[in-house]
Amino acid sequence: DAVVYRIERVLLVSALIVMSLVVFIQVVLRFFESGFPWAEELARYLMIWAGFLGASIATRQRRHLKIDILPRFLSSEGKARDLVIRLASLISAGFCFFLVKVGYDFVANSFKIGRTSSSLGIPIWLIQMSIPLTMLVIACRFLGQTFGELREDAEFDRLVER
């Protein structure tokens, strides 16, 4: 997981830097009534990848969206609380595996028909791969949370920063 995490961070930071530079240059060039026809499309595709990579990183850090009203009412040291948290993680993993399958079908269809982006001319499945790839990583992380040791957020944050 540490290697995947490092790759995700590099890809996310790279996407955000390139996206910011492209958008900045595009805005500046508009003052000169010029610009790149592909800039907004590239920024949009980088934003898609950045969003999914960010979701994966948030899941690793246990900062993903979650409904935690029930665990808050249960004893912090009780088995019922642990069971509810693990069950929620298992359900989340199952949903992510479903999205892997749906995403794969989506990508396979685009690959089969040979769709390309309008301005960049790149295969659209390269952008759509963000769905099944990141959902697979997220699903595995939820499984790790389901069957792994439960830690409080502060302790986990300390461990992640190492």
Side-chain angles (χ1 to χ4, degrees), residues 4 7 15 44 49 59 61-62 69 77 80 83-84 95 108 111 117 119 121 123 127 133 138 141-142 144 146 151:
V4 173
I7 291 169
R44 187 177 325 118
W49 269 99
T59 302
Q61 297 176 349
R62 298 174 189 235
I69 193 161
E77 297 178 14
L83 180 65
V84 167
F95 181 71
F111 183 81
S117 66
S119 296
I127 310 312
L133 285 178
I138 291 171
R141 287 184 171 151
F142 275 126
T146 300
R151 296 182 282 257

Side-chain angles (χ1 to χ4, degrees), residues 4-140:
V4 173
Y5 180 56
R6 284 192 174 104
I7 291 169
E8 285 173 328
R9 290 189 317 183
V10 167
L11 290 175
L12 177 60
V13 169
S14 299
L16 292 174
I17 288 171
V18 170
M19 182 180 59
S20 298
L21 287 173
V22 166
V23 169
F24 175 76
I25 291 168
Q26 185 73 354
V27 168
V28 170
L29 289 177
R30 282 186 185 164
F31 284 111
F32 302 107
E33 296 183 16
S34 182
F36 302 114
W38 47 264
E40 291 173 21
E41 186 174 277
L42 177 61
R44 187 177 325 118
Y45 294 155
L46 290 172
M47 179 61 80
I48 290 168
W49 269 99
F52 281 107
L53 289 168
S56 181
I57 290 170
T59 302
R60 182 182 195 273
Q61 297 176 349
R62 298 174 189 235
R63 295 180 184 270
H64 51 81
L65 292 176
K66 57 187 171 187
I67 300 171
D68 62 351
I69 193 161
L70 187 56
R72 286 179 185 254
F73 285 110
L74 298 172
S75 170
S76 64
E77 297 178 14
K79 290 185 187 264
R81 180 179 181 273
D82 288 351
L83 180 65
V84 167
I85 292 171
R86 289 177 196 277
L87 183 60
S89 292
L90 186 61
I91 291 168
S92 297
F95 181 71
C96 289
F97 280 124
F98 169 75
L99 290 177
V100 169
K101 168 68 171 110
V102 171
Y104 174 80
D105 292 344
F106 188 49
V107 170
N109 185 49
S110 291
F111 183 81
K112 186 172 91 176
I113 62 175
R115 285 186 57 203
T116 59
S117 66
S118 58
S119 296
L120 293 169
I122 60 173
I124 211 74
W125 63 266
L126 291 172
I127 310 312
Q128 296 169 341
M129 279 299 292
S130 60
I131 300 168
L133 285 178
T134 56
M135 287 299 126
L136 180 61
V137 173
I138 291 171
C140 291

